[in-house]
Amino acid sequence: MKAAHFYLLLHVFSTASVLVNAFDPITTTVVVSVGAALGRTIYDYFHERCDPKWISFNVTGLEVDLENKLFGQHIASRIILKAVNGFMSNVNPKKPLVLSLHGWTGTGKNFVSQLIAENIYKEGMDSSFVHVFTSELHFPHPSQLDTYKSQLQQWIKGNVSNCERSMFIFDEMDKMHPGLIDSIKPYLDYYDKLDGVSYRKAIFIFLSNAGGESIIQTALDFWKAGREREEIELRDLETLLSLSVFNNKKSGLWHTSLIDKNLVDFFVPFLPLEYRHVVQCALAEMEARGLRPDQSVADQVARDCVYFPKSERVFSVKGCKTIESKLDYYT
């Protein structure tokens, strides 16, 4: 809300309150009712609600953000845009959208989740309809697994009951106790309603480092063969990735029925980043801070990162994860 509009509403509300004392009891009742209505109007104007004013998908915004802010992820960008646009454009989806994002640290998984939220919810990641679960924070004790399952079911049911367009992000899936995520399988399946609640318009995003080794190996194989990374396609990775995650005992998706029953719509691979992508990250971070992008500083930041294989220094070990702290040092 613009400041002028805000103060105008406050002025009108205050005026109505003052007028209460100037009228007889009958008229006062009318004025108080008007004041209450204005109060509700002000409350509704500020308070996030589950309606198109607060939840409206901006496909152009997501496309531009993926193109200009996410670097080195041609596969992920294409899948995310098509998957989210197709889902949000469908007035009657048959099931929730379930995305499983995989890749090494610093490659953009959390960032993509943020971009999706920012282009669906007016409040972005601060929206009361976006819920983030972190394994080590929310589910730390293996002995409490049954309790966590019950709590997770209740949390999801309660939030979707409040808003069908809820988004749930599960970070650190590779650290989640195997079997926990299966507790929400019914909510991800092809059901019209469960106990009177429809989950079909919700979005579930799983973030994991699991499967990262398979992705890195494929990228290395392409590089060793002298092929461009842009030649890597989803079919080169998707089956290998799903099998790797399903059979990995350290993965929260180990032997999960979500994979077995094909409830994950897309396994999205995030490729390891090269030197040029780290430079792009540094330049973008400068711009985000309101600084003039400096190529020499960006190059210095990128050179200061660790790469592998050690002899060839092809891929950044931490992707763009440490860019912010390194810029604090160089700027």
Side-chain angles (χ1 to χ4, degrees), residues 284-291 323-328 331:
E285 178 61 23
M286 289 182 214
E287 188 172 355
R289 295 184 181 190
L291 303 173
I323 293 303
E324 289 187 22
S325 59
K326 289 184 181 298
L327 271 179
D328 290 337
T331 57

Side-chain angles (χ1 to χ4, degrees), residues 74 84 97 111 119 207 213 236 259 264 268 292 294:
H74 65 284
V84 177
L97 177 63
F111 185 56
N119 285 286
L207 312 179
E213 294 82 0
D236 297 314
I259 296 178
V264 177
V268 186
R292 187 176 68 178
D294 188 321

